[in-house]
Amino acid sequence: MQHALKLARHAEAAGEVPVGSVIVQDGEVIGEGWNAPISLHDPTAHAEIAALRAAAARQGNYRLGGATLYVTLEPCSMCAGAIIHARIARVVFGAADPKTGAAGSVFDILGTDRLNHRVEVEGGVMAEECGRVLREFFRAKRAAGRNGSDQPD
């Protein structure tokens, strides 16, 4: 999760919501990414999607069975769907997302028995640190907005 937090800072430096993700298989990092939907003009450019794309390219296979995905914020429904299609075995996330979380907060896409793959989920890992990065980012965005220099989300 420390590495995912470091990647979240890359997103933050680019003015993106600070979320980072790392995929590990057999003790080795096989993919990583951070949020970039604003800079890439791509609504799918979430940290998890970037990490999944990198890992799949590296492995030469879109199936990533046995891999663990670490992410600083609970995955949304889009990312949860991609995680299921990739056959990720386990997801470890930091901060829960009470507005769009799809690993138990709002939806439980990763844990439902109605789909053809279930993902083991562990939430709350380094939750305070992950949440603090997000809170500080949005606090600064709100303060900038009051000063007339806010940029679009």
Side-chain angles (χ1 to χ4, degrees):
M1 192 61 75
Q2 288 286 354
H3 188 61
L5 271 167
K6 181 177 142 193
L7 296 170
R9 295 293 187 184
H10 286 288
E12 182 178 38
E16 304 276 359
V17 175
V19 178
S21 182
V22 178
I23 299 176
V24 176
Q25 191 170 49
D26 299 323
E28 181 181 354
V29 173
I30 61 169
E32 59 184 41
W34 55 87
N35 270 5
I38 297 167
S39 57
L40 295 178
H41 311 289
D42 180 356
T44 70
H46 288 195
E48 300 95 321
I49 300 298
L52 286 166
R53 288 175 177 158
R58 178 175 175 165
Q59 300 300 91
N61 193 339
Y62 73 105
R63 299 284 197 211
L64 302 169
T68 298
L69 183 146
Y70 296 87
V71 63
T72 57
L73 180 65
E74 180 181 2
C76 69
S77 57
M78 174 187 69
C79 292
I83 288 164
I84 289 168
H85 285 293
R87 302 299 191 264
I88 294 288
R90 182 171 175 243
V91 168
V92 178
F93 69 86
D97 187 342
K99 292 185 178 183
T100 65
S105 290
V106 178
F107 304 105
D108 192 12
I109 294 171
L110 296 179
T112 184
D113 60 1
R114 300 188 69 182
L115 299 173
N116 61 345
H117 179 70
R118 290 184 80 179
V119 180
E120 179 186 336
V121 175
E122 180 180 355
V125 174
M126 296 179 62
E128 181 53 38
E129 290 175 67
C130 294
R132 182 174 40 254
V133 168
L134 289 159
R135 284 189 305 275
E136 289 172 0
F137 173 80
F138 286 112
R139 186 175 299 125
K141 294 284 275 182
R142 285 190 299 276
R146 286 190 294 272
N147 296 329
S149 61
D150 195 21
Q151 296 188 11
D153 288 333

